[in-house]
Amino acid sequence: MSRRVTMADVAREAGVSLMTVSRVINNKEGISDATRRRIQLIIDRLGYRPSDIARGLVTNRTGTLGLVVPDNANPFFSEVARGAEHVAYAAGYNVFLCNTEEDKSREMAVMRSLEEKRVDGVILCSSRLEEHDLKRALAFHPASVLINRQLHEEDVGIVLIADERGGRMATEHLIRSGHRCIGMLAGPEDSYSGQQRIRGYRAALADAGITCDQVLTPPCPPKVNPGKEAAINLLTARPDITALFCYNDLVAVGALQACMELGRRVPDDCAIVGYDDIPLAVLVTPPLTTCHVPRYELGSRAMELLLSRTEHNKPQIKSGHVVLQPELMIRASAP
Amino acid sequence: MSRRVTMADVAREAGVSLMTVSRVINNKEGISDATRRRIQLIIDRLGYRPSDIARGLVTNRTGTLGLVVPDNANPFFSEVARGAEHVAYAAGYNVFLCNTEEDKSREMAVMRSLEEKRVDGVILCSSRLEEHDLKRALAFHPASVLINRQLHEEDVGIVLIADERGGRMATEHLIRSGHRCIGMLAGPEDSYSGQQRIRGYRAALADAGITCDQVLTPPCPPKVNPGKEAAINLLTARPDITALFCYNDLVAVGALQACMELGRRVPDDCAIVGYDDIPLAVLVTPPLTTCHVPRYELGSRAMELLLSRTEHNKPQIKSGHVVLQPELMIRASAP
DNA sequence: CTGTTAGCGCGTTCAG
DNA sequence: CTGAACGCGCTAACAG
């Protein structure tokens, strides 16, 4: 490929000025249909592609957004991403999907890189950053939305799951089934949603007059194998536990495997409740009782919020604060 | 936020010229350590971020690459993406992860959008495009690599799985176990890897002296539910089938569910073999016999190839053609 | 309806 | 070791 076709090439070929070509490209008014068609033909023939780079330099907008998630391989986040991307594409935006791999310093690095790319806005999902760093990371972005993370700050949209309520529902379900010694595999300690779920868990126990025990809520990375390990440790240390509430479905699947390995039958010897309701939840044996979370909607709502903050012609979405409700799905792992 | 901090602001503040600042940013030689440190300090204090947009306009490089996959929610592709992104990040690149949702027109649209973003190169994974469209789509990109897709064209890197061999291994395993009527849920008809896997399947049957039957290889979208439907249809139409070879593990899980619904026990009444060996394969009951594919490596090798074609200082990787080997993992669904 | 002028923020010359 | 001028490809604002 010799040299890229530029607007000037098209203009010369058509015998018009740059502006005329520019107007055709951007579908602006004030061009006769005849010239418009003629120029479009030349554009197609030459294979001209407008440069978003050059355009971005002058308009100060890139048509690009950032979406930062802890782990793209987790079906929870890939579905959130689907929701967000769908809305973004429909509005003509592209999105950088960035993985932090549950790592704070990578999260900071990613945010900086997105700044340098001059994205028009960012969605930060389940950020693990401390408040100070988070504010700094957001400050230089033209618009931003948080998912699964609270922050007291004007100018940032927030989309949350009612996780305390979810944690409470899950735990109450286990209590109603007669369980009195309920452990929780609590997920990452710096996860906001994890903290909320624990609150719900504790509140439910307290309401039932069951004394809480710190030992019963060990943290763990939110994946299958760490969940399995944590479950083995907890169930070995505390054989009196008859039920486990898990930070998410991946951890719950790990717990399932742990029970199998320990010779504990699910749900008879140990009931298990997950969180998220990812597709995997109904594919394992027994199927997981879990808190359903509207994952796609989490992403799409966040993106709508972001776009409304980005495109000033659109009516700003009234509330910058959306709370979505979880729903308990009762299946065989904790009937 | 009032106005972005620019290089000029830094230069003015430091009492030096733009060039001096530029040299510091890009770690170029010919700056005294003293000034370098002094300017770095000012950069940090002002929160200056170099604009990749402006830089891209002059250098003609964006530090951005495209990665196009059919379905980001499929664990196979998310792992390929992990491999590719890991290599890209290590080399200082960002990547646009783009979903086509198994749709050809979206695939074309995505490729065009990537052109306009002026990415430095593209990896196209499991492209469904016809040869003509594919060549056109690649032509305007400075560098490109194909995964799971053959194409006779100089200047494009290719990373493949030996899928014909994989299909053969899977089928031979079933034949060795005594099966004589083996169906195949063949996946998308326009998938190159699907076509290769069918070839392997047919070759194995032919070698064993088993007559092939077109009816036994219905295509289906590569997901759980379509796989389930296809399996129900096939097993209902041909109850004499005692084994199914599936395009991928998602389809195989669908087949598993179909068998459960039809009251067929796996593997006794119907053996099932999948493909890919995604994490889910060992989580379902019974665990799937499947062809393991080095998914992460598929992505990382492809990205290495792409970078070697993008960065002219690096030694070009000799062969632009990499073939990775699958490996049969024998588990309970087809012992 | 179409063209002209100016500059977006930076890196690449080439001179000091 | 440092700086001044120029242009990357495009659009905004204003003329005609």
Side-chain angles (χ1 to χ4, degrees):
Chain A
M1 189 177 42
S2 47
R3 191 182 57 82
R4 275 223 165 258
V5 179
T6 153
M7 231 172 61
D9 297 327
V10 177
R12 194 178 327 107
E13 185 81 8
V16 298
S17 79
L18 290 176
M19 269 322 291
T20 307
V21 180
S22 171
R23 286 186 179 109
V24 172
I25 305 264
N26 298 308
N27 278 316
K28 298 244 172 164
E29 313 228 315
I31 296 270
S32 73
D33 272 11
T35 20
R36 186 183 297 277
R37 254 193 299 277
R38 190 166 58 87
I39 291 180
Q40 187 57 58
L41 235 54
I42 297 181
I43 287 175
D44 292 344
R45 179 157 55 76
L46 264 46
Y48 167 70
R49 296 285 183 277
S51 163
D52 274 358
I53 295 298
R55 177 183 284 158
L57 190 56
V58 28
T59 60
N60 216 15
R61 319 197 79 250
T62 54
T64 305
L65 303 165
L67 174 55
V68 183
V69 299
D71 176 16
N72 183 37
N74 180 335
F76 177 81
F77 294 114
S78 54
E79 187 69 6
V80 171
R82 273 216 329 132
E85 287 179 335
H86 190 260
V87 171
Y89 287 160
Y93 285 84
N94 279 76
V95 1
F96 276 112
L97 181 49
C98 304
N99 244 293
T100 67
E101 305 192 346
E102 306 275 353
D103 181 278
K104 289 182 199 181
S105 63
R106 266 197 63 68
E107 193 176 341
M108 285 298 268
V110 155
M111 288 298 280
R112 172 187 270 263
S113 160
L114 253 15
E115 273 185 51
E116 300 190 351
K117 296 282 184 232
R118 295 293 190 268
V119 293
D120 296 334
V122 213
I123 296 178
L124 204 37
C125 195
S126 303
S127 171
R128 307 284 192 244
L129 296 178
E130 287 142 38
E131 190 164 323
H132 178 73
D133 286 338
L134 181 55
K135 283 185 178 172
R136 261 171 43 104
L138 295 178
F140 285 97
H141 280 284
S144 50
V145 171
L146 257 25
I147 293 179
N148 272 355
R149 177 63 134 92
Q150 186 58 274
L151 186 73
H152 296 290
E153 173 82 57
E154 295 292 318
D155 280 354
V156 29
I158 298 195
V159 182
L160 296 173
I161 299 294
D163 277 317
E164 179 169 353
R165 182 158 166 269
R168 177 187 275 274
M169 285 178 353
T171 312
E172 282 175 349
H173 173 67
L174 290 168
I175 294 172
R176 261 197 309 276
S177 302
H179 295 283
R180 286 299 171 270
C181 190
I182 303 171
M184 174 171 180
L185 303 178
E189 294 183 88
D190 44 14
S191 154
Y192 176 76
S193 42
Q195 290 157 7
Q196 294 302 104
R197 289 168 202 179
I198 296 188
R199 289 171 70 110
Y201 158 87
R202 294 217 174 106
L205 292 182
D207 285 2
I210 302 175
T211 314
C212 271
D213 184 343
Q214 296 290 356
V215 180
L216 293 186
T217 60
C220 65
K223 305 192 186 184
V224 176
N225 284 330
K228 178 177 173 181
E229 277 181 42
I232 288 179
N233 291 338
L234 183 59
L235 291 176
T236 305
R238 294 291 301 256
D240 51 326
I241 287 178
T242 64
L244 287 174
F245 171 40
C246 303
Y247 170 72
N248 70 8
D249 289 339
L250 295 180
V251 170
V253 169
L256 227 44
Q257 297 183 323
C259 286
M260 189 170 302
E261 209 156 280
L262 295 173
R264 292 252 216 158
R265 297 178 24 162
V266 178
D268 300 337
D269 300 339
C270 183
I272 293 180
V273 177
Y275 211 101
D276 288 350
D277 196 21
I278 60 179
L280 175 58
V282 296
L283 298 178
V284 292
T285 312
L288 286 177
T289 292
T290 188
C291 263
H292 176 84
V293 171
R295 302 165 286 144
Y296 182 92
E297 197 182 350
L298 213 47
S300 63
R301 294 291 288 277
M303 187 55 81
E304 282 164 8
L305 249 180
L306 185 66
L307 291 180
S308 85
R309 288 158 177 276
T310 288
E311 314 202 324
H312 296 281
N313 45 343
K314 275 198 185 178
Q316 283 268 122
I317 290 184
K318 306 59 49 191
S319 168
H321 202 97
V322 176
V323 180
L324 268 27
Q325 296 301 321
E327 184 188 352
L328 190 64
M329 311 295 287
I330 298 173
R331 304 202 185 97
S333 77
Chain B
M1 188 179 40
S2 47
R3 194 181 55 83
R4 275 222 164 259
V5 179
T6 153
M7 233 172 60
D9 298 327
V10 177
R12 194 177 327 108
E13 185 80 9
V16 299
S17 80
L18 291 176
M19 269 323 295
T20 308
V21 180
S22 171
R23 286 187 178 108
V24 172
I25 305 267
N26 298 309
N27 279 316
K28 298 243 170 167
E29 314 229 312
I31 296 270
S32 73
D33 271 12
T35 16
R36 186 182 297 276
R37 253 192 299 278
R38 189 166 59 86
I39 291 180
Q40 188 58 58
L41 234 54
I42 297 181
I43 287 175
D44 292 343
R45 178 157 57 74
L46 264 46
Y48 167 70
R49 297 285 182 279
S51 163
D52 274 358
I53 294 298
R55 176 183 284 159
L57 191 56
V58 29
T59 60
N60 217 13
R61 317 198 81 252
T62 54
T64 304
L65 303 165
L67 174 56
V68 183
V69 299
D71 177 16
N72 183 37
N74 180 335
F76 176 81
F77 294 114
S78 54
E79 187 69 6
V80 171
R82 272 217 328 133
E85 287 179 335
H86 191 260
V87 171
Y89 287 160
Y93 285 84
N94 278 76
V95 2
F96 276 111
L97 180 49
C98 304
N99 244 293
T100 67
E101 306 194 346
E102 306 275 354
D103 181 277
K104 290 183 198 179
S105 62
R106 266 197 65 68
E107 191 176 342
M108 286 297 270
V110 155
M111 288 297 280
R112 172 186 271 263
S113 159
L114 254 16
E115 274 185 51
E116 300 190 351
K117 296 282 184 227
R118 296 292 189 268
V119 293
D120 296 335
V122 213
I123 296 178
L124 204 38
C125 195
S126 304
S127 171
R128 307 283 191 245
L129 296 178
E130 287 142 39
E131 190 164 322
H132 177 74
D133 286 338
L134 181 55
K135 283 185 179 172
R136 261 170 43 102
L138 295 178
F140 286 98
H141 281 283
S144 50
V145 171
L146 256 25
I147 293 179
N148 272 356
R149 177 61 135 92
Q150 184 60 273
L151 186 73
H152 297 290
E153 173 82 59
E154 295 290 319
D155 281 355
V156 28
I158 297 195
V159 182
L160 296 173
I161 299 295
D163 277 317
E164 180 170 352
R165 180 157 167 270
R168 177 187 276 276
M169 286 177 355
T171 311
E172 282 174 349
H173 172 68
L174 289 169
I175 294 171
R176 262 198 308 277
S177 303
H179 295 282
R180 285 300 171 269
C181 190
I182 303 171
M184 172 170 182
L185 302 178
E189 295 183 86
D190 43 15
S191 154
Y192 176 77
S193 43
Q195 289 156 9
Q196 295 303 104
R197 289 169 202 178
I198 295 188
R199 288 170 70 110
Y201 158 85
R202 294 219 174 103
L205 291 183
D207 285 3
I210 301 175
T211 314
C212 271
D213 183 342
Q214 296 290 356
V215 181
L216 293 187
T217 60
C220 66
K223 306 194 184 183
V224 175
N225 284 330
K228 178 177 173 184
E229 275 181 44
I232 288 179
N233 290 338
L234 182 60
L235 291 176
T236 305
R238 295 291 302 253
D240 51 325
I241 288 177
T242 64
L244 287 175
F245 170 40
C246 302
Y247 170 71
N248 70 8
D249 289 340
L250 295 180
V251 170
V253 169
L256 226 45
Q257 297 184 321
C259 286
M260 188 169 302
E261 209 156 281
L262 296 173
R264 292 252 215 158
R265 296 179 24 166
V266 177
D268 299 337
D269 301 336
C270 183
I272 293 180
V273 177
Y275 210 100
D276 288 350
D277 197 19
I278 60 179
L280 175 58
V282 296
L283 297 178
V284 292
T285 313
L288 287 178
T289 292
T290 189
C291 264
H292 177 84
V293 171
R295 302 165 286 145
Y296 181 93
E297 197 182 350
L298 213 46
S300 63
R301 295 291 287 277
M303 188 54 81
E304 282 163 9
L305 249 180
L306 186 65
L307 292 180
S308 85
R309 288 156 177 277
T310 288
E311 313 201 326
H312 296 282
N313 45 343
K314 276 198 183 176
Q316 284 266 126
I317 292 183
K318 304 58 52 187
S319 168
H321 202 98
V322 176
V323 180
L324 268 27
Q325 296 301 321
E327 184 188 353
L328 190 65
M329 312 295 287
I330 298 173
R331 305 204 184 96
S333 77

